[in-house]
Amino acid sequence: MRVAVFASGSGTNLQALLDACRDGDATIAIVLSNRADARALTRATAAGVPVHVISDANDGTEINDVLASYGIDLVVLAGYLKLIPPDVVRAFEGRMINIHPALLPSFGGPGMYGKNVHRAVLESGATVSGVTIHIVTEEYDRGPIVAQWPVPVIAEDTPETLQHRVQAVEHALLPAVVVAAAKSGCVVRLVPDRVGFAVSAQTTPVERALRAVPLLVSQEE
Ligand code: GRF
């Protein structure tokens, strides 16, 4: 399965994908960004993956042409801060996923990106946040959910500490979804068979717990 990744920023999720997809069923074939200085592009180049800087993020023809020229099967939005033009969404219906750093449908929609999300979670008093991966539709953050994983919020959290804990889960869940899609030939829903994290400010135990829990692949929906 040939995968295109869109990223606007640091690209830590891209890095997790690059690391997971070495010699596997999924190939990261191209990385696209609206920003020429995105760290994500440096990561792609270091991994030997071609990059494309989008000249006009509203121009669906440019993006569709690039995706077609690389024979892309699956598009992954990993921290891409521009809206994908509707003709690109239509061309990749059911084959474009986005990762969001909270449990959608809560804390999604316009303006909900980066630390804004974690700040809103803390201000709401929620005791659980998490990661959502969903199919991209023309409605922002509203497409069918492919995978979710909870992350505990603790009393001492700042947006930064919560972001850190959520990111550790993102870096395991996104590759799991992409690898499962590559093995299945289509995007499949991942369902955890057990949920239960010790509440901890540490990243590592959460990440270890996630890696230790097998994800069951379900094709219903
Ligand atoms: C992640 O938190 C992702 O959920 C959101 O944007 C952030 C990208 O981070 N959509 P990075 O660039 O992968 O480090």
Side-chain angles (χ1 to χ4, degrees), residues 7-16 40 43 77-81 98-102 112-114 117-118 130-132 141 163 166-167 170-171 174:
S8 301
S10 67
T12 62
N13 280 285
L14 166 68
Q15 189 65 56
R43 294 179 190 273
L77 308 184
Y80 184 63
L81 294 180
N98 178 51
I99 181 160
H100 186 79
M112 280 294 173
Y113 61 87
V117 178
H118 305 297
V131 177
T132 302
D141 289 340
Q163 180 178 47
V166 166
Q167 272 181 343
E170 291 189 305
H171 298 162
L174 185 58

Side-chain angles (χ1 to χ4, degrees), residues 14 16 21 29 89 141 147 158 165 172 195:
L14 166 68
C21 293
V89 175
D141 289 340
T158 63
R165 196 175 310 113
V195 174

